[in-house]
Amino acid sequence: MTHPEYILTLSCHDQRGIVLRVAGFLAEHGCNIIDSAQFGDPESQLFFMRVHFALEDPSVPDADLRTAFAALCEANAMRGQLHDAHAKPRVLIMVSKIGHCLNDLLFRYKSGLLPVEIPAIVSNHMEFYQLAASYNIPFHHLPLAAGASEEAKLAQEARIIELLDMHRIDLVVLARYMQILSPGLCEALKGRAINIHHSFLPSFKGARPYAQAHTRGVKLIGATAHFVTGELDEGPIIEQDVERVDHAMTIDELTAIGRDVECVVLARAVKWFVEHRILQNGHRTVVFK
């Protein structure tokens, strides 16, 4: 017999007895824990927990379980969520003219490696409408001319918000979307938008960062996936990775390596998000792998 499965996540002030109370709650409601992870942060004095469990008592309805969990959270000052473990989060991907991350995410989605639904792709350019069509995903071309007015930008973002509402989007992925989001849209997407960008030591901003890195002779290149905030590229970091490079590599070779790292880092971040493994801890994240 197949039992419904859930993922419980919570954060609260660190104190004795939290694990006992959660485990007791699950036992009392006919649930069996499949796996569990927790972390107490001595700096923030916060406790974080993720529990994957099965509801094995058929006499306990889903609505009753959720109501009881909400009461547990309220009684213990917890910020908690209860997710259907088999529900596929709905993801909207945004992209501009560089498509390696989009292509990688679509392949993982189609092959079943990424348990999501992708009801829409948004772009300010037309480059990838055929790629979207090959996966039977609606492609929305929302152009924004260089130097566009604030009014035009807000009108374009209003259309994006319409799509988010229409498709009941759980996560927005900026797969090399090269437009800065307005503070209003960043706030609307707080905690549910992930961006990817290159990571260099030293950092190179502006056009052609891999060419700048090549000129400076960098030895490490990498990528960072982070939550989107109103501070450009300053949101809580979810995942990072690096690759070593050397003097013999051309700009094109550096770019290819960098794009491979970007794909892997972004895919990990998205997968961890949809599996409810990421909890925010102030300006940092706790990631239960």
Side-chain angles (χ1 to χ4, degrees):
M1 179 179 178
T2 302
H3 302 290
E5 295 181 12
Y6 296 83
I7 294 173
L8 175 160
T9 59
L10 65 83
S11 61
C12 62
H13 179 71
D14 200 358
Q15 55 191 289
R16 289 189 299 271
I18 301 172
V19 175
L20 176 62
R21 273 172 290 212
V22 172
F25 164 81
L26 293 174
E28 290 168 8
H29 290 82
C31 302
N32 182 46
I33 294 175
I34 297 172
D35 64 72
S36 176
Q38 54 272 333
F39 170 68
D41 182 4
E43 294 184 17
S44 66
Q45 295 295 304
L46 292 176
F47 178 83
F48 302 87
M49 190 173 190
R50 178 187 185 273
V51 184
H52 179 193
F53 66 91
L55 176 57
E56 296 183 347
D57 186 346
S59 69
V60 179
D62 174 86
D64 288 359
L65 180 67
R66 292 181 182 278
T67 299
F69 178 64
L72 174 73
C73 290
E74 184 176 1
N76 293 275
M78 298 173 177
R79 297 179 59 187
Q81 292 183 303
L82 201 56
H83 309 274
D84 180 343
H86 296 301
K88 293 183 178 181
R90 299 172 65 78
V91 175
L92 181 143
I93 302 177
M94 299 179 66
V95 65
S96 290
K97 287 187 173 183
I98 302 174
H100 55 285
C101 287
L102 171 65
N103 190 57
D104 181 76
L105 290 172
L106 292 178
F107 171 78
R108 292 172 190 267
Y109 151 74
K110 191 67 174 180
S111 60
L113 298 173
L114 195 59
V116 299
E117 298 292 347
I118 305 177
I121 295 171
V122 167
S123 180
N124 54 328
H125 297 280
M126 284 295 292
E127 267 76 355
F128 301 112
Y129 77 94
Q130 290 177 315
L131 178 62
S134 72
Y135 285 90
N136 294 317
I137 298 174
F139 181 88
H140 300 270
H141 179 219
L142 303 180
L144 195 62
S149 67
E150 185 69 14
E151 182 180 3
K153 182 176 180 62
L154 293 178
Q156 187 235 26
E157 290 190 349
R159 179 60 181 140
I160 294 172
I161 292 173
E162 288 178 9
L163 291 171
L164 298 178
D165 294 338
M166 179 190 308
H167 294 293
R168 297 173 283 110
I169 297 300
D170 300 298
L171 174 67
V172 172
V173 179
L174 306 185
R176 295 302 300 269
Y177 181 68
M178 307 307 289
Q179 291 288 331
I180 297 174
L181 305 186
S182 70
L185 185 54
C186 289
E187 183 61 29
L189 294 176
K190 186 176 181 180
R192 60 187 186 112
I194 294 175
N195 187 30
I196 185 70
H197 66 82
H198 64 80
S199 300
F200 290 120
L201 295 175
S203 175
F204 300 105
K205 298 181 179 180
R208 305 185 71 218
Y210 289 99
Q212 295 181 57
H214 180 268
T215 299
R216 289 289 299 276
V218 301
K219 306 306 181 194
L220 280 176
I221 61 175
T224 294
H226 63 88
F227 281 115
V228 173
T229 66
E231 298 176 309
L232 183 63
D233 293 336
E234 296 291 336
I237 293 170
I238 300 168
E239 173 64 341
Q240 295 178 296
D241 207 347
V242 296
E243 286 286 345
R244 297 202 66 85
V245 295
D246 62 40
H247 62 278
M249 294 179 178
T250 66
I251 294 174
D252 288 343
E253 288 172 329
L254 257 64
T255 302
I257 293 170
R259 289 180 175 178
D260 285 346
V261 180
E262 289 172 12
C263 288
V264 171
V265 169
L266 182 59
R268 287 176 190 157
V270 173
K271 188 171 189 291
W272 293 338
F273 182 95
V274 301
E275 292 178 350
H276 313 291
R277 297 183 180 277
I278 307 168
L279 285 78
Q280 290 200 48
N281 180 17
H283 201 64
R284 297 180 292 165
T285 61
V286 173
V287 182
F288 292 121
K289 300 178 185 178

